[in-house]
Amino acid sequence: MGKILMKGNEAIGEAAIRAGCLNYFAYPITPQSEVAEYLAKRMPEVGGVFLQGESEVAVGYMLFGAAGAGERVFTTSSSPGISLMSEAISYIAAAQLPVVFVNIIRGGPGLGGILPSQGDYFQATKGGGHGDYRLLVLAPASVQETAEMVMMAFPLAEKYRNPVMILGDGLIGQMMEPVEFPDHLRTAPSDKNAWASNGMATRGSRQRNLVKSLFLDPEALNNQNLLLKSKYDRMRREEVRYETYNLDGDYRVLIVSYGTMSRVCRTAVDNLKAAGVEVGLLRPQTLFPFPLEAVREAAGRPACQAVISIEMSMGQMVEDVERAVCGIRPVHWYGKCGGDVPTPEEVMDVVRGLMAGGR
Amino acid sequence: MGKTFSKPRSLTDQPTHYCPGCTHGVIHRLVAETIDELDIMERTVGIAPVGCAVLAYNYFNCDFQEAAHGRAPAMATGIKRVRPDLVVFTYQGDGDLASIGMGEIVHAANRGEKFTVIFVNNAVYGMTGGQMAPTTMPGQRTTTSPRGRNVEEVGMPIKVAELLAALETPAYITRQTVIDPKGIRKAKKAIRKAFEYQLAGRCFSLVEVVSTCPTNWGMTPVEAVAWARETLLPYYQLGEFKVPE
Amino acid sequence: MQSEVKFAGFGGQGILLSAKILAHAALEEGHEVVWIPSYGPEMRGGTAYCTVVIGDRPIGSPIIKNPQHLIAMNRPSLEKFAPTVRPGGIILINANLIPIGSGRDDVTDLAVPVNDLAAAAGNLRAANLVALGAFVARSGIVDFETLRRCVQEEFAAKPQTLPVNLAALEKGRQAAQG
């Protein structure tokens, strides 16, 4: 099958189906309601489950129940909706269930706006819900990559028995680009009989399975948290993904940027290069685990004088960039989060300003 | 002499943590007997609430999932939608179902989800230590209504069965009690009927069970039964409120 | 090389669709392409716009401040966006609704009475395709035959509407070449 033009939101729905996920629960919210509209039509065609829940709170637990019963399941939402689901996300992570969440971020806090933003970086990578849990967070920068990450997310969620979040923004959801759904990303669901509460008869077992998150004994709870931590540590070792651009030359400034914003930065890097100014770009594709070592190494190159995190938020990823750079270079931030995405020209001005500052 | 008492195979051997005089044990047994009689233990998934019955999975011998406060009906929806062949029941108390989970129960009932709800109403929060519930009676003292429930401030107790029966979607909605042997026999029949409606794929089913909580009511078990009969039952009337056509 | 075409007009003038057909044609010809709508409250009344970016290598920024070309279907769109068009570009002006030109001497104004021509083709609502036909014929941004095929594909599910739409496209081509 060749490439077809698709909106990001529709590609998300189709990619999930191609990945073998036939269960979708959601609540409408701009700017990603097209996913629900697409799947309301598509799921019945493929014999799948589509249900519009009464709230994101309820949807979170529909996902819990379905995943707890051993079935592949996913949802899509946007920022305020993810806040409401965050309670369930904590429980889902605690009960070690593989669920895929897609957050097509809009501007916040509060109702904020409906235009693109990256203001949910902290929520996705540092928590959102209560307790010591982590999500594996994938950040696509194109419709094609969104489709691929959605397809990858299911086996990843099953590998770790942990929720995975695709963190996009309103522009990724709304724009149309050519996309194809690679066959090699089609995976069979993993065997969940060891833990799913899918009925003893389903797995021909006399042992019952419990899906739960309550550990009243302090030692048991500490052990449970150590077990979860070991999974997050393994993600840090095995799942770091990033892309570099123009990191071969003697760049004087290193930009770290992800998602839609990174594409704007790429254009700025091209334009600056044409003007004789070398700037490097590192684009994290996983936000948790964050590519700490790659950023540190790129920042440490002799010609590099400064590092800047450019994001559609008021300075969230920059904290991870600072953590990576460990003070060996000055770390700056530039961003906007009203929905007005910075242009390549703005990025170029900011970079030039950094260089003129002699830092 | 023949065997006069045996434990349902759908119950484990573990002694319960429930207080003396608590009715959860009786209700567990009625559910377990029903599961045995219908021979569905191997394809049943129960959902434990937040509340005294949070550890219900220690006592039932089937698969279980443990919910967050009030969200059991949403979880049951998730399971039943992706695995309609499974038998799913939630076991919820009054704080869980009628307060923090009111949204979930109303919408699950209104969608006509094909699972069964066992709703234990003892007019008080148990596990958290005797706070006021949405079903606490007017004037009833609890730790958060120390002068008695003031309906001017917090309204009247919610009659869940009547409220859900008002929905247009077909359902089986009944209120029973387990404070005496006659009530227990009728409650058992109702629970069995509720599971049968689910097995037939007919409708949502909910059995509200008026129960006692001697510990948090500050009474002996005998006093508790008398109080339930004199105070709860006149307000929470027993009977079938909705039966599918 | 990269060029961008901004489609702008009232909500309901079909600009998202004509932009999508152009994007599809560019994809058919093997180009990289992105279709970026404006979304939100703007979609209801006022000026809606949509940008199609066509390039030979993966497209970077989807945020386009200065497009190469503009298709202006109403006057507010022309007034708002004409100053942003890069020198050398084409500005297609819906002459039925816009009595003025771009006022620039470094771009090519292409004034076409797209509403009249659409009505002549059989349906006023096909004005977007008249504009698209005229723009493609003048700019050569994609081959006209490719465009025609993409229109056929787009309306494959509604074959009864196809003759009018193809006629509209053709009227646009003639207007641009006339």
Side-chain angles (χ1 to χ4, degrees):
Chain A
M1 186 184 135
K3 291 189 171 183
I4 49 170
L5 263 187
M6 269 185 127
K7 261 193 166 189
N9 283 336
E10 293 175 348
I12 288 165
E14 188 60 31
I17 289 175
R18 304 290 179 108
C21 176
L22 298 185
N23 303 300
Y24 175 78
F25 298 86
Y27 185 82
I29 180 170
T30 307
Q32 60 74 56
S33 299
E34 292 92 343
V35 187
E37 290 166 357
Y38 183 82
L39 288 174
K41 276 185 279 193
R42 267 301 264 150
M43 278 303 187
E45 287 173 10
V46 295
V49 171
F50 169 91
L51 184 64
Q52 178 174 327
E54 67 268 32
S55 69
E56 286 94 344
V57 174
V59 164
Y61 291 94
M62 292 173 184
L63 301 167
F64 184 119
E71 301 296 313
R72 274 192 175 169
V73 64
F74 89 117
T75 192
T76 61
S77 188
S78 181
S79 313
I82 297 290
S83 290
L84 284 172
M85 284 181 198
S86 292
E87 178 197 78
I89 291 175
S90 168
Y91 282 77
I92 287 168
Q96 302 195 73
L97 299 178
V99 177
V100 173
F101 293 84
V102 179
N103 180 3
I104 297 298
I105 310 178
R106 55 188 260 178
L111 270 182
I114 59 171
L115 293 172
S117 162
Q118 295 179 327
D120 298 351
Y121 181 93
F122 283 155
Q123 185 193 51
T125 63
K126 315 285 180 193
H130 59 283
D132 278 299
Y133 75 89
R134 297 285 190 163
L135 304 178
L136 206 166
V137 183
L138 304 169
S142 67
V143 174
Q144 179 64 40
E145 194 176 33
T146 304
E148 290 177 9
M149 284 182 169
V150 168
M151 294 182 79
M152 283 162 43
F154 293 97
L156 278 172
E158 287 162 15
K159 173 180 173 183
Y160 290 98
R161 284 183 58 194
N162 198 72
V164 172
M165 179 171 279
I166 314 286
L167 201 62
D169 62 67
L171 210 54
I172 293 273
Q174 293 294 327
M175 71 186 185
M176 238 190 256
E177 284 188 302
V179 61
E180 60 185 336
F181 303 94
D183 277 336
H184 73 272
L185 292 179
R186 236 177 251 251
T187 51
S190 66
D191 180 12
K192 294 160 182 155
N193 280 341
W195 54 265
S197 63
N198 51 1
M200 289 184 276
T202 300
R203 49 186 191 276
S205 167
R206 307 180 73 139
Q207 286 297 314
R208 67 214 180 91
N209 281 343
L210 304 179
V211 172
K212 65 182 205 103
S213 63
L214 180 68
F215 296 87
L216 289 171
D217 173 55
E219 194 184 336
L221 181 56
N222 191 51
N223 287 340
Q224 172 72 1
N225 272 294
L226 285 170
L227 171 70
L228 297 181
K229 181 177 184 298
S230 73
K231 298 197 302 185
Y232 308 140
D233 288 341
R234 184 175 172 205
M235 289 178 196
R236 289 181 174 105
R237 290 192 304 274
E238 297 182 17
E239 307 303 339
V240 172
R241 288 175 170 82
Y242 59 93
E243 191 181 75
T244 61
Y245 192 67
N246 203 38
L247 283 197
D248 299 328
D250 282 335
Y251 51 90
R252 293 171 61 195
V253 172
L254 172 69
I255 298 176
V256 183
S257 188
Y258 69 100
T260 293
M261 195 62 238
S262 72
R263 291 175 64 152
V264 175
C265 292
R266 197 170 80 200
T267 297
V269 169
D270 285 345
N271 294 349
L272 285 164
K273 194 180 183 78
V277 179
E278 293 293 338
V279 175
L281 172 64
L282 191 148
R283 172 173 80 91
Q285 291 164 301
T286 50
L287 301 180
F288 182 88
F290 189 78
L292 290 170
E293 284 171 32
V295 170
R296 178 154 50 237
E297 197 186 313
R301 294 270 284 279
C304 181
Q305 298 168 355
V307 181
I308 183 165
S309 176
I310 301 185
E311 41 187 309
M312 282 139 60
S313 69
M314 286 292 115
Q316 298 191 19
M317 182 174 71
V318 66
E319 294 190 5
D320 279 334
V321 175
E322 283 169 345
R323 215 155 55 83
V325 173
C326 281
I328 61 169
R329 296 285 182 271
V331 173
H332 304 269
W333 160 84
Y334 179 73
K336 273 187 181 174
C337 62
D340 193 9
V341 180
T343 61
E345 292 75 18
E346 280 176 75
V347 172
M348 290 161 68
D349 286 347
V350 167
V351 170
R352 286 199 176 104
L354 271 186
M355 293 167 76
R359 284 177 285 199
Chain B
M1 187 177 146
K3 197 169 182 182
T4 55
F5 180 88
S6 64
K7 178 183 68 63
R9 68 186 273 269
S10 296
L11 286 182
T12 63
D13 290 330
Q14 190 165 332
T16 74
H17 69 288
Y18 299 119
C19 305
C22 170
T23 46
H24 272 308
V26 174
I27 301 165
H28 282 19
R29 185 183 168 97
L30 299 184
V31 173
E33 282 176 0
T34 303
I35 292 173
D36 278 10
E37 287 162 18
L38 298 171
D39 194 20
I40 51 174
M41 185 177 91
E42 280 78 9
R43 59 185 179 112
T44 294
V45 179
I47 300 178
V50 170
C52 286
V54 62
L55 296 174
Y57 46 74
N58 286 341
Y59 315 129
F60 283 102
N61 223 345
C62 59
D63 277 7
F64 247 82
Q65 296 195 13
E66 175 195 87
H69 43 199
R71 316 292 182 232
M75 279 170 56
T77 298
I79 301 170
K80 198 72 189 181
R81 290 277 173 152
V82 302
R83 288 291 307 273
D85 55 317
L86 296 175
V87 180
V88 178
F89 75 95
T90 72
Y91 188 104
Q92 304 177 257
D94 42 56
D96 185 82
L97 181 142
S99 186
I100 197 165
M102 187 57 112
E104 283 76 14
I105 191 65
V106 169
H107 284 278
N110 193 56
R111 285 190 302 263
E113 299 291 348
K114 311 291 186 291
F115 61 81
T116 300
V117 177
I118 308 298
F119 167 44
V120 180
N121 177 5
N122 59 14
V124 74
Y125 279 59
M127 188 182 68
T128 45
Q131 292 83 12
M132 186 179 68
T135 52
T136 292
M137 293 303 290
Q140 184 184 340
R141 287 173 191 230
T142 70
T143 57
T144 51
S145 57
R147 287 171 212 87
R149 179 182 184 130
N150 179 354
V151 298
E152 296 298 318
E153 280 179 9
V154 297
M156 290 292 285
I158 297 176
K159 295 180 178 181
V160 169
E162 288 87 336
L163 188 144
L164 294 178
L167 299 170
E168 293 289 335
T169 308
Y172 176 63
I173 311 278
T174 179
R175 184 182 292 119
Q176 303 292 334
T177 185
V178 288
I179 62 167
D180 53 39
K182 185 170 154 235
I184 291 173
R185 280 197 296 277
K186 290 177 83 170
K188 168 69 188 301
K189 277 192 189 137
I191 289 170
R192 178 166 172 141
K193 217 164 154 183
F195 274 87
E196 283 171 344
Y197 278 121
Q198 173 177 181
L199 285 167
R202 287 285 297 279
C203 62
F204 173 82
S205 52
L206 177 140
V207 182
E208 176 172 339
V209 185
V210 176
S211 306
T212 58
C213 182
T215 301
N216 287 303
W217 291 356
M219 299 178 189
T220 65
V222 173
E223 288 166 352
V225 165
W227 189 79
R229 181 171 290 117
E230 289 154 19
T231 313
L232 293 183
L233 290 185
Y235 187 78
Y236 296 115
Q237 296 201 349
L238 307 181
E240 286 182 339
F241 293 88
K242 195 175 182 102
V243 177
E245 306 201 346
Chain C
M1 270 309 290
Q2 176 174 304
S3 56
E4 310 86 13
V5 187
K6 186 166 224 159
F7 294 72
F10 294 123
Q13 282 186 312
I15 59 161
L16 296 178
L17 179 64
S18 49
K20 183 185 161 199
I21 293 170
L22 177 63
H24 184 195
L27 171 64
E28 289 293 313
E29 296 192 346
H31 300 292
E32 298 285 345
V33 60
V34 188
W35 173 98
I36 310 131
S38 61
Y39 67 91
E42 309 160 283
M43 287 164 70
R44 296 171 190 90
T47 54
Y49 60 91
C50 178
T51 309
V52 174
V53 185
I54 299 171
D56 299 331
R57 38 185 300 221
I59 290 157
S61 175
I63 303 301
I64 306 296
K65 208 166 94 187
N66 299 110
Q68 183 70 60
H69 308 291
L70 171 67
I71 294 177
M73 295 293 280
N74 65 6
R75 183 166 179 164
S77 299
L78 181 73
E79 288 171 342
K80 187 169 176 189
F81 297 122
T84 69
V85 174
R86 293 211 300 275
I90 295 169
I91 299 184
L92 186 139
I93 297 168
N94 177 1
N96 286 116
L97 295 183
I98 312 172
I100 58 170
S102 72
R104 290 180 53 171
D105 53 14
D106 57 349
V107 298
T108 304
D109 280 9
L110 174 59
V112 178
V114 297
N115 289 11
D116 287 350
L117 292 174
N123 189 346
L124 183 59
R125 290 180 59 195
N128 58 339
L129 291 175
V130 176
L132 181 62
F135 171 73
V136 167
R138 176 62 65 93
S139 65
I141 196 163
V142 293
D143 188 79
F144 202 83
E145 274 314 305
T146 312
L147 183 70
R148 206 192 304 266
R149 271 205 313 279
C150 290
V151 169
Q152 280 167 341
E153 254 185 68
E154 186 62 42
F155 294 97
K158 297 181 218 156
Q160 70 281 9
T161 67
L162 187 58
V164 169
N165 287 316
L166 286 175
L169 200 69
E170 181 59 24
K171 290 217 175 278
R173 187 180 70 85
Q174 289 164 0
Q177 290 172 344

